[in-house]
Amino acid sequence: MQDKHYEVQNTRHAAYDINPIFLNRWSPRAFIDKQISDEILLSLFEAARWAPSASNLQPWRYILAQTKEEKQLFAEFILPANAEWCLNASVLALLISHTPTPSGGVNGSHAFDAGTSWGYLALEATRQGLSAHAMAGFDRDKARNLLNIPQEYEVHAVIAIGYHGNTESLSERNLEREQPSNRRSTVESLYKGTFGAAWTD
């Protein structure tokens, strides 16, 4: 895979051997208004399609905004701090998940599974030379009303998808944030046997 995200090379280093795609995936805010072909765009959702889910219920759904009019509708529920940069992306996608089970109960893993689907999408975007930035800064109730989302679906995130662009389009605040973030060490996320028991090599 050609590394189109050269910034990552100087900011992220894996402690253990992993595929570089995990380091190369990050969430920029600078996008260029360049159309994504349907074939490439659908490949992202093809990857999302193959995410695992409880009982294979596949609860995730994506509502896409590609045209100027569709993006302006999304802009009505996206917070201004996000709208100032994400509207430059080629595509916006709202991730929602279906909460009931076929028997009428509640699928307790619908959000977990939808998040996994987004993760698959994000990695495929990186493989295709695209960037995908998921954001929580939007009005969920307003999104539900404007997009006619039924109550049996939970609203999760807006995802900006597109080609990484020139940072000159960013405000000073966002320019300072336009770099891959690091992560805490692997073992800081691990407990041994019970909660709070530190992992030791």
Side-chain angles (χ1 to χ4, degrees):
M1 179 191 73
Q2 182 180 1
D3 181 9
K4 297 181 182 298
H5 302 291
Y6 60 89
E7 300 93 337
V8 172
Q9 296 175 1
N10 296 321
T11 58
R12 288 180 162 183
H13 305 281
Y16 302 92
D17 183 31
I18 59 174
N19 191 303
I21 198 169
F22 294 102
L23 300 179
N24 293 335
R25 188 227 60 82
W26 64 288
S27 301
R29 292 171 176 82
F31 287 94
I32 55 174
D33 187 11
K34 177 182 176 183
Q35 185 175 359
I36 302 172
S37 71
D38 286 348
E39 182 177 1
I40 292 177
L41 180 63
L42 289 174
S43 74
L44 275 57
F45 295 98
E46 177 69 14
R49 170 192 175 204
W50 290 102
S53 63
S55 301
N56 197 29
L57 292 178
Q58 306 167 57
W60 52 83
R61 306 288 190 277
Y62 295 88
I63 302 173
L64 305 187
Q66 293 177 276
T67 67
K68 182 178 179 180
E69 293 73 22
E70 290 166 346
K71 290 181 186 178
Q72 286 304 315
L73 184 60
F74 272 49
E76 292 188 37
F77 58 79
I78 296 173
L79 297 185
N82 285 327
E84 72 178 52
W85 59 264
C86 76
L87 296 180
N88 292 326
S90 306
V91 178
L92 298 176
L94 182 68
L95 172 59
I96 63 176
S97 61
H98 193 232
T99 61
T101 63
S103 62
V106 175
N107 177 3
S109 66
H110 69 90
F112 179 83
D113 296 341
T116 304
S117 171
W118 140 248
Y120 276 36
L121 182 156
L123 292 173
E124 180 60 21
T126 300
R127 193 186 77 84
Q128 294 282 0
L130 293 164
S131 294
H133 185 144
M135 66 199 89
F138 68 99
D139 187 322
R140 286 160 177 75
D141 290 335
K142 198 169 184 179
R144 181 182 299 279
N145 291 332
L146 287 172
L147 302 184
N148 302 313
I149 300 170
Q151 288 300 317
E152 63 265 27
Y153 288 86
E154 186 168 326
V155 179
H156 295 292
V158 176
I159 305 164
I161 303 169
Y163 293 96
H164 193 198
N166 194 316
T167 57
E168 292 177 359
S169 65
L170 297 177
S171 65
E172 183 176 348
R173 173 179 176 272
N174 283 326
L175 183 59
E176 292 174 356
R177 305 165 72 190
E178 188 68 356
Q179 57 185 338
S181 57
N182 215 326
R183 298 292 188 271
R184 62 176 171 262
S185 71
T186 303
V187 296
E188 287 180 272
S189 297
L190 302 178
Y191 298 129
K192 185 73 170 179
T194 61
F195 184 87
W199 172 276
T200 56
D201 292 327

